[in-house]
Amino acid sequence: MAQQKPGKTNDDVYKRKLFYDNGIKFVQVKGRLTNEYKPPSPVMKSATNTHIKASAGMVNQGTSHYQVTLQFLFSSKEEYADWLQYIGAEHKFYDEKGTIYLGVVTGDLGIQSVEQESKYLITVSLTMIRKQDFEFRHLYQFIDIENHWARNYIDEMQQRGLISTYESDGTEVQYFQPEVWLTRAQMTAFITRTYSQIEKVLRGY
């Protein structure tokens, strides 16, 4: 069973991280978060859909939106330039609970050069919407369960974050190994994640 990181979940991989769409996939912004973190703040718009930049595909997707301000430290001009060329693209942000927000950069960037202009401190504001419960955090198909009788159950567990789909180095796991016995550590991790999932449901997120 795919439990290469028995002590961590997919949430631990993504918490408090920002990604941008490069046209092929979402890529993590390379800068390091440096400011005091504040969760996205809701801005309610009752009975009105929020329209967020049609070019990023964020039209009519919710009745409220969220504001979040982040500060990143880029260790080189190249790292900053990699992200800057996609500044107008759709962004994806995972908060401290692993909840996903989608949106776009709004307003001007706050730019400071530090350490003799060798690094860049960037403050960015984003307007975002929270993904709905039915839109799963990550869907990656294991290549060894296509014809397995438990495929639907495995997919559901993966979608709920009960199964780790990443190696310790961050690469995706390709094989679920459904016929391999669980170790004690893997079983403990699975039960712990199940309790965490139940707690999320009971708390309403």
Side-chain angles (χ1 to χ4, degrees):
M1 184 176 178
Q3 298 283 356
Q4 282 70 12
K5 295 193 302 174
K8 295 183 179 180
T9 67
N10 288 349
D11 285 350
D12 296 316
V13 176
Y14 289 127
K15 283 181 179 178
R16 293 174 56 179
K17 293 184 179 178
L18 181 67
F19 296 76
Y20 62 87
D21 184 2
N22 70 355
I24 300 176
K25 62 180 180 179
F26 278 96
V27 179
Q28 184 180 342
V29 175
K30 294 180 180 178
R32 178 171 57 88
L33 274 174
T34 59
N35 64 325
E36 181 181 350
Y37 173 73
K38 294 182 180 179
S41 303
V43 181
M44 301 304 296
K45 297 288 185 181
S46 59
T48 304
N49 282 336
T50 301
H51 297 259
I52 308 175
K53 209 166 189 179
S55 61
M58 303 299 295
V59 179
N60 294 333
Q61 292 195 34
T63 55
S64 66
H65 65 272
Y66 293 78
Q67 295 293 140
V68 60
T69 300
L70 306 171
Q71 188 177 79
F72 291 97
L73 179 64
F74 292 88
S75 60
S76 69
K77 185 176 182 179
E78 289 73 22
E79 284 188 355
Y80 173 50
D82 285 344
W83 171 54
L84 187 61
Q85 62 181 320
Y86 296 103
I87 198 70
E90 182 177 3
H91 283 62
K92 178 165 60 173
F93 178 64
Y94 293 77
D95 70 4
E96 75 285 357
K97 298 174 183 176
T99 304
I100 299 176
Y101 296 83
L102 295 174
V104 292
V105 174
T106 52
D108 297 327
L109 298 177
I111 305 173
Q112 288 180 266
S113 58
V114 294
E115 296 188 18
Q116 297 180 345
E117 299 186 357
S118 62
K119 297 183 179 180
Y120 293 84
L121 193 63
I122 308 298
T123 303
V124 57
S125 297
L126 300 111
T127 300
M128 320 198 86
I129 60 169
R130 181 174 175 174
K131 289 195 74 175
Q132 302 300 316
D133 292 338
F134 58 80
E135 296 181 280
F136 297 111
R137 181 172 290 99
H138 177 72
L139 182 59
Y140 180 79
Q141 298 293 338
F142 298 106
I143 63 178
D144 60 346
I145 64 170
E146 183 175 356
N147 298 315
H148 196 271
W149 64 269
R151 176 179 176 178
N152 290 338
Y153 300 104
I154 294 169
D155 284 343
E156 183 176 355
M157 288 189 296
Q158 187 269 323
Q159 291 164 356
R160 294 184 182 277
L162 303 180
I163 300 172
S164 175
T165 53
Y166 291 90
E167 303 276 8
S168 58
D169 61 358
T171 59
E172 291 176 325
V173 176
Q174 293 185 329
Y175 297 94
F176 179 77
Q177 301 176 326
E179 303 301 329
V180 176
W181 289 96
L182 288 174
T183 65
R184 290 181 180 179
Q186 290 170 343
M187 189 62 194
T188 301
F190 182 77
I191 293 174
T192 301
R193 292 169 186 168
T194 302
Y195 276 116
S196 296
Q197 177 68 25
I198 293 172
E199 183 180 10
K200 286 184 178 181
V201 172
L202 293 176
R203 291 189 175 187
Y205 60 80

